[in-house]
Amino acid sequence: MKLANLFPDEDYRFAMRFERGRPEDFFAPTKAGPRLLAERERWLNEELARYAAMLPGGEPLLEETLELLRAWPATRAVASHTLSPSEGERAGVRGISTILRAAKDQGDASRGPSQVDGTSFARCVELGRRLEPDFLLLKPDAAGIFRLLAGCVCFPSSWSLEEKMGRPLEEIHGVVPGLNTQLSRPISGFLGKMAPGVSWLRANWGLSRSAELNQHPARKLPRLDAGVRADEVWLRVEWQSLVALPANQGVLFGIRIGVFPLAQVKEDLAAAEGLRRALQTMPEQMAAYKGIASARGRLVGLLGQTNF
């Protein structure tokens, strides 16, 4: 996708625009794979409980995801190298113990996964080590509300997987100004009616003062402000894929991250102008949510400069 496509020729408005694609293409290995997988390994080794989680009911969603990955030629090797059930059982005991210790240390017993099958959790973690995109697994409850039951997110954009587990889709997106009132029902309806075998693609952008892929809030990375320099500004793009898991009425949600320095954005005149217009017309609540409210004037000015 060209950067200019992120910014429609209109004033800013939050919208859910989807395009059709092939799931296999989104989840397939890329040239950047070795670097991405090495970093995923690092974060999972350092703080497993922060980047991977599973609740009861997530196990069948994971198994169906693995079946899909095995069925797609480009991802077959990834799924084939995921732990077997017997290996997963042994690793699961170690992984569950790690999370229980972390939960105890942080005084948060609610995070203890004692009711989760250890084999499935270990396989979830192993898939997180081998799959380039982050992934979330959701399923509707008896009331038709989609809830987050499992996932591995090593490269979050200023949000916390452990805080979102078990929450309905509406609460996962609850902090986005206007999203619940405008899009909650359409999103839930769309998820429940997705045709299998299709990757529903969209992109979401933000701005950051760091090029780090992992922007978990616990890392306390520097934030944008009115004094930011041009070489400290990065366009951060989430490429997202929604794939139906029809056997369990669930959804596989994949996320890939792209990071681009502001200088690169300015090389694309249409992208630079689109970003500037979006910043100028964005509601204050949305600017605060994206973490750019105090830097908005400075960012608009930087986009208007011909030289840095």
Side-chain angles (χ1 to χ4, degrees), residues 187-254:
I187 291 174
S188 296
F190 177 77
L191 293 179
K193 297 177 181 178
M194 290 194 307
V198 178
S199 175
W200 296 97
L201 304 168
R202 70 178 296 267
N204 187 39
W205 64 269
L207 293 166
S208 176
R209 200 168 188 160
S210 171
E212 291 273 355
L213 293 175
N214 178 7
Q215 300 203 359
H216 193 286
R219 298 191 67 204
K220 300 186 185 303
L221 295 172
R223 300 179 66 84
L224 295 166
D225 58 32
V228 69
R229 301 192 312 268
D231 61 356
E232 297 177 308
V233 181
W234 303 79
L235 175 68
R236 183 178 175 93
V237 183
E238 283 191 1
W239 284 291
Q240 304 172 351
S241 169
L242 295 170
V243 180
L245 300 174
N248 292 281
Q249 294 80 51
V251 172
L252 165 62
F253 183 4

Side-chain angles (χ1 to χ4, degrees), residues 3-308:
L3 293 182
N5 293 342
L6 295 168
F7 309 105
D9 186 17
E10 61 187 23
D11 289 352
Y12 179 87
R13 66 184 181 91
F14 187 93
M16 300 291 286
R17 300 182 179 91
F18 289 96
E19 297 180 0
R20 294 171 64 105
R22 296 199 318 160
E24 178 180 351
D25 295 338
F26 184 89
F27 290 95
T30 67
K31 292 181 180 179
R35 172 179 58 83
L36 295 174
L37 296 182
E39 185 166 354
R40 297 183 70 82
E41 181 83 10
R42 170 195 170 187
W43 296 117
L44 289 170
N45 287 343
E46 287 189 9
E47 191 70 48
L48 177 62
R50 182 171 288 166
Y51 302 110
M54 176 176 281
L55 295 178
E59 299 94 335
L61 298 175
L62 175 67
E63 294 307 312
E64 186 173 357
T65 297
L66 289 170
E67 290 177 9
L68 285 178
L69 292 171
R70 293 189 195 102
W72 301 330
T75 56
R76 189 168 296 149
V78 173
S80 298
H81 284 92
T82 300
L83 295 176
S84 67
S86 60
E87 292 171 326
E89 183 175 1
R90 293 192 295 272
V93 173
R94 297 192 298 271
I96 294 296
S97 298
T98 299
I99 288 189
L100 286 172
R101 286 196 301 271
K104 182 179 180 181
D105 292 343
Q106 297 177 24
D108 184 4
S110 66
R111 287 174 55 199
S114 57
Q115 298 180 1
V116 175
D117 174 58
T119 302
S120 292
F121 174 72
R123 300 180 81 197
C124 179
V125 173
E126 185 66 14
L127 181 59
R129 297 182 193 274
R130 298 183 179 276
L131 198 64
E132 292 177 21
D134 287 329
F135 67 91
L136 304 170
L137 301 176
L138 303 99
K139 183 176 180 177
D141 60 17
I145 299 173
F146 277 83
R147 294 183 180 272
L148 177 56
L149 298 184
C152 183
V153 181
C154 296
F155 306 140
S157 297
S158 301
W159 65 280
S160 168
L161 174 65
E162 60 265 44
E163 292 180 0
K164 302 299 185 182
M165 293 303 300
R167 295 192 181 186
L169 183 66
E170 290 79 2
E171 289 187 24
I172 292 174
H173 287 109
V175 296
V176 182
L179 179 58
N180 275 7
T181 56
Q182 296 178 19
L183 299 172
S184 175
R185 289 185 179 179
I187 291 174
S188 296
F190 177 77
L191 293 179
K193 297 177 181 178
M194 290 194 307
V198 178
S199 175
W200 296 97
L201 304 168
R202 70 178 296 267
N204 187 39
W205 64 269
L207 293 166
S208 176
R209 200 168 188 160
S210 171
E212 291 273 355
L213 293 175
N214 178 7
Q215 300 203 359
H216 193 286
R219 298 191 67 204
K220 300 186 185 303
L221 295 172
R223 300 179 66 84
L224 295 166
D225 58 32
V228 69
R229 301 192 312 268
D231 61 356
E232 297 177 308
V233 181
W234 303 79
L235 175 68
R236 183 178 175 93
V237 183
E238 283 191 1
W239 284 291
Q240 304 172 351
S241 169
L242 295 170
V243 180
L245 300 174
N248 292 281
Q249 294 80 51
V251 172
L252 165 62
F253 183 4
I255 305 170
R256 285 186 180 271
I257 299 295
V259 181
F260 308 91
L262 189 63
Q264 182 178 344
V265 177
K266 289 198 65 174
E267 292 174 359
D268 185 330
L269 297 181
E273 179 55 34
L275 175 56
R276 185 168 66 164
R277 181 175 180 180
L279 291 173
Q280 289 174 321
T281 59
M282 183 180 294
E284 189 64 25
Q285 280 187 310
M286 182 59 73
Y289 165 73
K290 285 182 173 287
I292 60 175
S294 63
R296 181 169 12 187
R298 173 64 171 164
L299 294 169
V300 170
L302 290 174
L303 285 164
Q305 292 178 6
T306 57
N307 295 296
F308 289 168

